[in-house]
Amino acid sequence: MKTKTLGQFIIEKQSDFPYAKGELSRLLRDIGIAEKIVNREVNKAGLVEILGETGETNIQGERVKKLDVFANDQFIAALKAGGEVCAIASEENDEIIPIESEISKNAKYVVAMDPLDGSSNIDVNVSVGTIFSIYRRTTLSGPGTTEDFMQRGTEQFAAGYIIYGSSCMLVYTTGKGVNGFTLDPSIGEFCLSHPVMQTPKMGSVYSINEGNYLHFPEGVKKYIKYCQEEDKATQRPYSSRYIGSGVADIHRNLIVGGIYIYPTTTKSPKGKLRLLYECNPLAFIIEQAGGKATTGGKRIMEIDIKELHQRTPLFVGSSDMVDTAMEFMVKYTTEKV
Ligand code: P6P
């Protein structure tokens, strides 16, 4: 396949967005710049003084790893410098970051991001990821506000993730399918490697932290047992694969088929993952690839968002597997999800 860089691909697809006049192209370029810088540091994290913890905790009450802060700073700097964004929401920041600058005064977009998802894996050399979601601003002018982020996932203009793994990959959608790009370090460019990604309707992998089994809703417990039963016709028992880095688990399942579940638990009664900058962008991507994303009851992208760091349960992946898991939730679970 002839090498096609991310920049060439975006220009080629520009005709999909005649009214966007290149802003989206520049916005994805800005994100791409930060990705390359973060990837460089992730790749040598073990060698430089960037491992370990800053001693602070973020709004989630999670210990902040130095690479979290580095990644957050890089994406904020790249987006500010690009001039296409009027505000940023980040897992690492309690409040939104309004952008007030001469070059951003006509910015049309806001970006919500998890700059380094799965960061607890950094010190043990396991894949981590960045997740981002792009909305058109709803306020008229000036720096963006929290109101610009209070939009359903169905309103997303674009969404993507970067996985810093055996290779660095960018996977994104603008609502016209999903495409994957692999970083070629020899030229410093993301090159199209996975055009028009589609996730299998059915898979044989389930991803869930079974350490929380005792605290799962009854429907989830019953579904896990279903996954473990012997039944050749439905390729059961499935394989249990859980990395502890959602981007890595969901990326694998996107390619080979599977389901990732982070349900409510007693420790996380509303679920652990955040709607704005984890579940909605991942849901957009997986739906565009032919999969499904729900709370175990309702479509993720139709949830009304009331607060920046709102949490939700997440069932995401192959459509037939999500449907089956939801049947168990309907049949066995009383609490509303
Ligand atoms: P647990 C990372 O913190 C994350 O948000 C997801 O990427 C990951 O799948 C999950 O939480 C891991 O959470 O409770 O199983 O360690």
Side-chain angles (χ1 to χ4, degrees):
M1 175 167 58
K2 181 180 173 310
T3 301
K4 184 177 289 182
T5 67
L6 174 62
Q8 290 166 335
F9 181 84
I10 292 169
I11 288 166
E12 188 182 280
K13 297 293 179 187
Q14 191 60 54
S15 56
D16 289 346
F17 302 96
Y19 49 85
K21 298 189 197 63
E23 291 100 331
L24 180 65
S25 311
R26 291 191 292 273
L27 188 39
L28 287 170
R29 170 209 62 196
D30 301 338
I31 291 172
I33 291 167
E35 288 162 358
K36 292 175 195 172
I37 296 170
V38 171
N39 180 59
R40 183 190 64 202
E41 295 310 307
V42 166
N43 277 347
K44 61 182 184 182
L47 300 174
V48 297
E49 193 34 48
I50 201 160
L51 281 180
E53 302 179 358
T54 61
E56 297 150 12
T57 55
N58 62 19
I59 187 173
Q60 326 299 338
E62 294 166 341
R63 297 195 303 273
V64 177
K65 296 272 183 179
K66 289 179 184 172
L67 212 46
D68 274 336
V69 175
F70 175 82
N72 199 41
D73 293 348
Q74 292 306 318
F75 280 100
I76 291 169
L79 291 168
K80 278 184 173 176
E84 302 299 341
V85 168
C86 65
I88 300 167
S90 170
E91 184 202 34
E92 294 303 328
N93 298 77
D94 299 357
E95 305 300 331
I96 67 151
I97 301 149
I99 297 178
E100 309 176 73
S101 67
E102 188 54 27
I103 59 168
S104 303
K105 65 182 182 187
N106 299 317
K108 292 183 183 168
Y109 301 97
V110 294
V111 172
M113 66 177 180
D114 183 353
L116 211 60
D117 179 70
S119 53
S120 57
N121 289 305
I122 292 169
D123 292 359
V124 294
N125 206 14
V126 168
S127 300
V128 291
T130 297
I131 311 169
F132 63 88
S133 176
I134 302 172
Y135 289 89
R136 293 180 192 80
R137 69 178 304 170
T138 53
T139 53
L140 293 177
S141 60
T145 68
T146 302
E147 183 188 334
D148 289 301
F149 295 91
M150 298 295 104
Q151 302 185 56
R152 284 186 173 193
T154 47
E155 299 306 306
Q156 290 176 96
F157 186 64
Y161 61 76
I162 302 101
I163 180 167
Y164 309 98
S166 49
S167 63
C168 179
M169 265 195 80
L170 163 66
V171 174
Y172 82 90
T173 183
T174 56
K176 294 180 181 296
V178 178
N179 290 284
F181 299 79
T182 300
L183 182 64
D184 179 341
S186 68
I187 58 172
E189 289 283 0
F190 281 98
C191 299
L192 183 63
S193 54
H194 297 66
V196 194
M197 298 178 82
Q198 284 291 295
T199 192
K201 276 172 66 63
M202 190 62 211
S204 56
V205 171
Y206 71 104
S207 306
I208 188 169
N209 182 344
E210 295 192 49
N212 297 321
Y213 181 84
L214 294 180
H215 310 295
F216 285 155
E218 193 56 29
V220 172
K221 292 180 180 176
K222 295 286 189 194
Y223 179 68
I224 290 173
K225 293 308 166 196
Y226 169 83
C227 292
Q228 295 168 347
E229 286 168 353
E230 289 277 353
D231 179 78
K232 289 203 178 347
T234 53
Q235 294 179 309
R236 288 181 289 147
Y238 298 149
S239 295
S240 173
R241 293 284 185 275
Y242 191 74
I243 298 172
S245 190
V247 172
D249 280 316
I250 292 166
H251 179 71
R252 179 204 52 244
N253 294 354
L254 165 61
I255 293 173
V256 301
I259 185 170
Y260 170 99
I261 302 175
Y262 207 106
T264 58
T265 64
T266 38
K267 186 179 160 203
S268 307
K270 294 184 177 172
K272 177 185 178 186
L273 273 63
R274 277 56 55 112
L275 177 62
L276 178 63
Y277 42 76
E278 289 177 319
C279 298
N280 268 331
L282 293 170
F284 191 15
I285 293 163
I286 295 300
E287 285 198 6
Q288 281 289 310
K292 281 191 177 178
T294 77
T295 62
K298 179 175 185 180
R299 185 182 176 211
I300 288 288
M301 292 209 288
E302 290 177 357
I303 297 174
D304 287 327
I305 186 165
K306 302 275 189 293
E307 53 185 72
L308 222 43
H309 301 284
Q310 183 172 321
R311 297 176 188 269
T312 175
L314 177 64
F315 292 59
V316 61
S318 296
S319 54
D320 290 0
M321 298 181 83
V322 173
D323 286 345
T324 302
M326 284 174 66
E327 287 163 16
F328 279 90
M329 290 297 285
V330 168
K331 187 171 178 185
Y332 294 102
T333 297
T334 50
E335 61 261 28
K336 190 174 175 337
V337 284

